[in-house]
């Protein structure tokens, strides 16, 4: 049982790390050597490889992506906190429903944010042959199924001694 709890906690922390990195890092979209993310657009200047960054657009869809990513982090942190609280207060045989629901909500929020970005990124940056999605965007999509699986595991899990 201890090994199972340790595995669940490691999975949850891995999801949290993926969510934090994908929200913070400036690699959601790469266009002609310039990187763009949810918060700023950066490009390299000259030979010295210095970065010039400007604030991202104030499009409503981009703000909704920002909100969804922040909500996913909040739900996932809350879920981990609730898991530890329920671990000590839940009666024997009880299920971790609240923890699982919040973790599934975190997964749905990150999926919504990444899906909105996928559909609307051409409104923000012109779609060229050099346009590609960055690793932070991919990490967001990787965090989605892991968060949902983690949430389902919490819902199925019963507390033992």
């Amino acid at each position: 049982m201890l090994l199972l709890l340790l595995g669940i906690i490691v999975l949850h922390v891995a999801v949290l790390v993926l969510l934090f990195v994908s929200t913070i890092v400036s690699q959601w979209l790469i266009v002609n050597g310039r990187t763009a993310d949810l918060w700023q657009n950066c490009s390299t200047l000259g030979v010295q490889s210095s970065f010039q960054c400007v604030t991202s657009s104030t499009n409503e869809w981009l703000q909704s992506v920002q909100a969804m990513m922040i909500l996913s982090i909040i739900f996932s942190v809350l879920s981990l906190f609730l898991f530890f609280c329920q671990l000590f207060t839940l009666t024997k045989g009880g299920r971790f429903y609240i923890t699982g629901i919040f973790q599934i909500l975190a997964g749905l929020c990150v999926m919504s944010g990444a899906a909105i970005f996928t559909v609307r990124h051409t409104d923000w940056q012109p779609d060229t042959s050099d346009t590609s999605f960055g690793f932070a965007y991919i990490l967001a999509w990787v965090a989605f199924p892991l968060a949902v699986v983690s949430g389902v595991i919490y819902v199925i899990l019963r507390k033992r001694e």
Side-chain angles (χ1 to χ4, degrees):
M1 183 65 178
L2 185 62
L3 213 53
L4 178 65
L5 288 176
L6 184 63
I8 290 170
I9 292 170
V10 166
L11 177 62
H12 197 124
V13 170
V15 169
L16 267 174
V17 168
L18 289 174
L19 290 174
F20 271 112
V21 169
S22 66
T23 303
I24 296 170
V25 175
S26 179
Q27 289 283 327
W28 274 65
L29 198 62
I30 302 169
V31 183
N32 297 330
R34 295 180 309 139
T35 61
D37 72 342
L38 305 177
W39 313 104
Q40 59 189 359
N41 295 331
C42 297
S43 59
T44 54
L45 295 174
V47 185
Q48 299 173 352
S49 297
S50 61
F51 279 100
Q52 175 187 8
C53 296
V54 295
T55 306
S56 287
S57 171
T58 57
N59 291 331
E60 292 85 10
W61 68 266
L62 187 59
Q63 289 177 347
S64 68
V65 173
Q66 292 170 347
M68 287 292 134
M69 294 304 293
I70 290 171
L71 276 174
S72 69
I73 290 172
I74 291 170
F75 283 144
S76 191
V77 167
L78 188 60
S79 175
L80 188 61
F81 176 74
L82 286 172
F83 174 67
F84 285 123
C85 288
Q86 285 184 322
L87 196 58
F88 297 111
T89 60
L90 200 63
T91 59
K92 182 179 176 183
R95 293 184 185 257
F96 296 89
Y97 286 122
I98 297 172
T99 302
I101 288 170
F102 276 103
Q103 189 68 359
I104 291 170
L105 281 174
L108 293 176
C109 283
V110 73
M111 184 225 26
S112 299
I116 292 169
F117 189 86
T118 303
V119 172
R120 301 298 298 264
H121 78 278
T122 55
D123 296 350
W124 179 39
Q125 298 284 337
D127 197 16
T128 64
S129 61
D130 281 348
T131 302
S132 63
F133 291 108
F135 76 91
Y137 169 82
I138 295 167
L139 289 180
W141 277 113
V142 169
F144 158 61
L146 291 178
V148 171
V149 166
S150 173
V152 169
I153 289 172
Y154 283 129
V155 170
I156 294 172
L157 185 67
R158 285 184 184 264
K159 182 178 178 185
R160 294 188 186 170
E161 291 182 26

